[in-house]
């Protein structure tokens, strides 16, 4: 009986010691760190896209993808395009390689060119797959 009691006490002491050591060497994240790791409120839910946007915002260089003709649509609203204009965006989009899509979007943003709403949905579909 004494042996069983000593084993239980030793087990409890060992558990307390391990708990103390784990808190000492592996502290929990602070609330600020946890909030920083969560997606921002502006995030659309497609985290890969949002994270890429954050990285792309660091670069302010405008790169053209043989799409200089799209500069005429500077400051258009996304619903102001007619079918022929939308097809111009679509032609450029489908000529791009997959890795060029995100930089192209950044280039359009820097040039103040809004994508037509129908093209936005196509781009999201292409990036998510």
């Amino acid at each position: 009986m004494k042996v069983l009691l000593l084993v239980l006490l030793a087990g409890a002491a060992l558990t307390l010691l391990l708990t103390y050591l784990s808190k000492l060497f592996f502290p929990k994240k602070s609330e600020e760190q946890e909030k920083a790791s969560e997606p921002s409120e502006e995030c659309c839910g497609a985290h890969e896209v949002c994270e890429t946007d954050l990285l792309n915002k660091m670069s302010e260089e405008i790169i053209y993808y043989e799409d200089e003709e799209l500069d005429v649509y500077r400051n258009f609203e996304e619903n102001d395009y007619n079918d022929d204009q939308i097809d111009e965006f679509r032609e450029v989009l489908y000529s791009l390689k997959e890795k060029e899509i995100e930089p192209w979007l950044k280039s359009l943003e820097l040039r103040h060119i809004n994508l037509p709403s129908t093209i936005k949905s196509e781009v999201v579909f292409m990036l998510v797959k």
Side-chain angles (χ1 to χ4, degrees):
M1 185 70 168
K2 288 183 181 181
V3 173
L4 182 60
L5 186 59
L6 286 173
V7 169
L8 288 175
L9 285 174
L14 183 62
T15 302
L16 288 173
L17 178 65
L18 290 175
T19 303
Y20 172 75
L21 291 175
S22 69
K23 287 184 179 182
L24 183 65
F25 290 108
F26 304 106
K28 290 186 177 181
K29 291 182 179 179
S30 68
E31 288 183 26
E32 291 177 11
Q33 289 174 333
E34 287 178 12
K35 287 181 182 177
S37 65
E38 294 176 5
S40 68
E41 294 175 8
E42 299 172 358
C43 188
C44 61
H47 300 303
E48 291 178 11
V49 177
C50 292
E51 291 168 2
T52 304
D53 284 345
L54 290 174
L55 293 174
N56 287 341
K57 286 183 180 176
M58 292 179 198
S59 170
E60 296 297 322
E61 179 184 351
I62 295 175
I63 301 171
Y64 284 88
Y65 293 86
E66 297 181 20
D67 63 346
E68 293 82 4
E69 70 275 7
L70 299 179
D71 283 341
V72 298
Y73 303 120
R74 176 174 284 197
N75 298 321
F76 269 51
E77 293 298 320
E78 64 183 42
N79 295 320
D80 290 346
Y81 298 100
N82 64 36
D83 290 339
D84 291 332
Q85 294 167 334
I86 292 171
D87 286 339
E88 287 183 54
F89 281 92
R90 191 172 281 127
E91 184 179 317
V92 173
L93 173 63
Y94 287 102
S95 70
L96 297 172
K97 296 176 183 171
E98 187 175 337
K99 65 181 181 179
E100 294 176 326
I101 295 173
E102 292 173 22
W104 177 64
L105 295 173
K106 179 62 180 172
S107 172
L108 292 177
E109 180 183 330
L110 291 172
R111 292 156 47 197
H112 305 284
I113 300 172
N114 292 315
L115 278 178
S117 56
T118 56
I119 299 295
K120 278 186 180 180
S121 61
E122 292 177 30
V123 168
V124 169
F125 179 74
M126 292 172 76
L127 291 174
V128 173
K129 69 174 182 173

